[in-house]
Amino acid sequence: MLRQMDRLEVAGKRVLVRLDLNVPLKEGKVRDDTRVREAAPTVRALAERGAIVVACSHLGRAKGKPDPALSLAPVAPVLAQYVGRAVRFVPDTADATARQAVATARPGDVLLLENLRFDAGEESNSPELCRKLAALADLYVNDAFGTAHRAHASTTGVAKLFAAPSAGPLMARELRALGKVRDNPERPFVAVVGGAKVSDKLATLKALAAKADTLVLVGGMANTFLLAKGIGIGTSLAEPDLAEAAREIMATATERGVAVLLPTDVVVASDLESPGRTVGVGEVGANDRIFDIGPASRAAIAAVVTGARTVFWNGPAGVFEKPAFAEGTLAIARALADSGAFSVVGGGESVAAVQQAGLAAKLSHVSTGGGASLEFLAGDVLPGVAVLEER
Ligand code: ADP
Ligand code: MG
């Protein structure tokens, strides 16, 4: 059983809360504040219940040392605005300045620590950083699902130093939605997997090939499957080394009675700046590159999604960043929105596509954790989740 934040007695207590405030910055400003907006209710709830909120997060790929361009300082005022309370930024991750800031804070105050990855101990899960972080608080909450697949100091090591490490509401919501997909999907269960590469998603594909009723393969990833079936793909993105793995996935599906749906027509061009042409999958020229699925494939996917009771989607169907090659991805987003099924989308680019299309509110769940959601569906125990389970 997952321990949950709402069961903690937080009044007057210092609560270390691991958030996902990993937002894109541009010229020192937050360019997309979605994650801050989503984290804010958790912070507000704790503050309103009289906690001293000690918020922490990583931002970007800081290399274990301070990098002013990746400071969380610009995030503090944005968080303050959404929480409706002052947020005191602490220019220190877990040392003396952080200790002093916490020591002088009062119930209802909100502090935001500096980027966890400014300390090399975060990614190495160093006992020293875990102890320092734990010394800042009486209670621990993790609401950062997107990093729960990483055994870092702030996600696992520090949690083990508290008696009742608990999941925040965002984490709990992710686990509920993805848990339903993984553990008891209402059938038919259709999984749509696309994106760039098979290698990123191998374990998840294997799991879905054994579990879904229909596995729909699209995007650059589908090219490797076409190749594995001996179909020419010109100069399209593919991973020939993974053709054997692709054949095994298709064999697993056949054994388990899982239907595999591959594109039957595709949109090709010589490069991304040229207009696309629709051709059948057997007719891709030697110099063609597949950049999207074609109209017949879109219709076939829409039909199978329409009949589904559960749909999981990860990975765009084409290079949707270019409007000329976005139709397949948009068609999938619309099919999910219209399906009436329990619909879950995960993955950075897929979620961006759903938001671009203005359809996020019509899906049952939009997962913020790309890698974490895939690992969860593959059946892996996420280290950052395991530590929140009641022992
Ligand atoms: P997600 O972030 O949703 O998990 P991925 O990171 O796996 O998705 O892949 C997203 C990328 O895949 C997009 O940037 C898109 O341009 C690219 N992509 C999709 N289809 C193709 C294709 N046919 N050829 C090249 N790139 C593709
Ligand atoms: Mg991605």
Side-chain angles (χ1 to χ4, degrees), residues 194-197 200-201 219-220 223 237 290-292 314-321 346-351 374:
K197 296 196 294 186
D200 290 343
K201 304 180 180 179
N223 297 340
L237 172 73
I290 301 171
F291 289 133
D292 197 5
N314 166 278
V319 184
F320 76 101
E321 293 90 343
E349 270 84 20
S350 330
V351 169
L374 290 177

Side-chain angles (χ1 to χ4, degrees), residues 117-141:
R117 291 194 190 166
F118 282 8
D119 191 314
E122 167 63 356
E123 293 195 65
S124 68
N125 194 11
S126 94
E128 193 195 351
L129 179 58
C130 294
R131 273 197 303 276
K132 285 190 208 167
L133 285 169
L136 298 176
D138 308 300
L139 298 167
Y140 170 85
V141 169

